[in-house]
Amino acid sequence: MSINLNEYYSGGYFLVRSGRPDWKPPFGKYLPDGNLISLSKCINYLRLSVLWGWTTGDRDAARSFGISRKNMDKFVSWCGTEYQSFMGYRSMFYRPEDARAFIRQFKIQKNNLYLLGAALPKTYQKTWIDEEDNNEGIAKRVKKGIAVDSTGKPIGFDVVSYSYSDFSHSWLCSGLEHEMNDLFGIRTNELGLLKSYDDAKKIYDWIAEDNYEGKRAEPEPYGF
């Protein structure tokens, strides 16, 4: 896949386990039969989150992700203040090496584990600066205009909503793969991601026409 990363700003880096135990292939005519990859927690709910280690956090999710019982107390402590040197609230690592250091520190098994880098087209940065009041996590990073790490391998595009300083829902959460194929002939790649910027923009523009009314997708701002 040919993508010029110089045309994008970094939205941070995320550790994600693909798939979900309660949603197994086949996924239907318009999606691959393998694991789906997305920044949406609905599709890949085991996206590492610092919230798992907080007082009301989800320890079961942390264990399913790969935090052993032996390391759970250390993980909870890490989620107190130590994470702030490596990760922005709630799940965004600042650098790929920070995420890799976390894997080593907590001895995380790498099977089915992805280190995903999010990138926003530079042409949309001004919208985030002008319209997004939140200055935590992903929004704070996007506004700084940080370059994307050039060592990564582009694997596709996603259209994901943003809520409470974190990525929320994918266009697939609303079951739009059928309608987008009928309207625009759009099909995903073998990971369930979009094949081109043009496909992502068509879906984004179509969702945006709804003006956050929640009729075409979730009533949240989307990006790609």
Side-chain angles (χ1 to χ4, degrees):
M1 176 172 292
S2 178
I3 299 176
N4 184 0
L5 295 179
N6 291 325
E7 297 176 356
Y8 295 80
Y9 286 132
S10 172
Y13 304 89
F14 304 82
L15 285 176
V16 174
R17 287 207 182 278
S18 64
R20 338 176 10 138
D22 58 340
W23 190 14
K24 297 180 180 180
F27 301 122
K29 178 180 179 181
Y30 299 107
L31 294 175
D33 286 339
N35 283 328
L36 303 181
I37 303 298
S38 176
L39 288 169
S40 164
K41 291 183 292 184
C42 294
I43 295 175
N44 296 146
Y45 80 97
L46 290 180
R47 170 158 53 87
L48 179 69
S49 172
V50 69
L51 299 186
W52 294 346
W54 290 14
T55 303
T56 57
D58 190 343
R59 302 294 192 270
D60 288 340
R63 283 191 287 269
S64 296
F65 180 83
I67 305 297
S68 67
R69 293 183 182 276
K70 178 181 178 181
N71 285 328
M72 186 59 68
D73 288 344
K74 184 168 68 171
F75 173 71
V76 170
S77 177
W78 187 88
C79 292
T81 57
E82 185 179 348
Y83 84 92
Q84 295 175 2
S85 298
F86 310 98
M87 176 189 280
Y89 179 81
R90 311 175 177 178
S91 58
M92 180 200 73
F93 282 97
Y94 298 126
R95 304 177 302 167
E97 50 264 43
D98 294 331
R100 295 186 181 107
F102 178 90
I103 293 172
R104 292 192 298 270
Q105 180 177 352
F106 290 96
K107 298 180 173 58
I108 305 298
Q109 295 296 317
K110 296 180 183 178
N111 58 299
N112 213 31
L113 182 68
Y114 288 79
L115 173 52
L116 298 181
L120 178 81
K122 289 183 176 181
T123 53
Y124 289 93
Q125 187 207 24
K126 188 176 185 301
T127 301
W128 280 70
I129 293 174
D130 293 343
E131 299 181 9
E132 178 53 56
D133 295 332
N134 195 320
N135 284 308
E136 296 291 338
I138 298 163
K140 181 178 181 179
R141 183 178 183 87
V142 168
K143 291 177 183 181
K144 287 183 177 180
I146 297 171
V148 177
D149 186 283
S150 61
T151 63
K153 175 185 176 182
I155 59 174
F157 295 83
D158 206 354
V159 180
V160 187
S161 68
Y162 178 80
S163 178
Y164 297 103
S165 304
D166 206 352
F167 291 121
S168 184
H169 296 282
S170 163
W171 67 286
L172 292 178
C173 298
S174 299
L176 297 180
E177 65 272 19
H178 304 275
E179 195 156 9
M180 295 301 96
N181 183 263
D182 291 344
L183 288 174
F184 306 117
I186 292 174
R187 298 288 288 265
T188 69
N189 64 17
E190 67 278 5
L191 295 173
L193 295 170
L194 295 162
K195 300 175 184 178
S196 70
Y197 172 95
D198 288 341
D199 285 349
K201 190 173 187 308
K202 286 175 183 176
I203 295 174
Y204 168 79
D205 288 342
W206 185 84
I207 292 174
E209 290 175 2
D210 189 34
N211 292 317
Y212 308 140
E213 292 184 7
K215 296 177 181 178
R216 293 187 173 182
E218 295 296 323
E220 299 172 346
Y222 280 72
F224 63 97

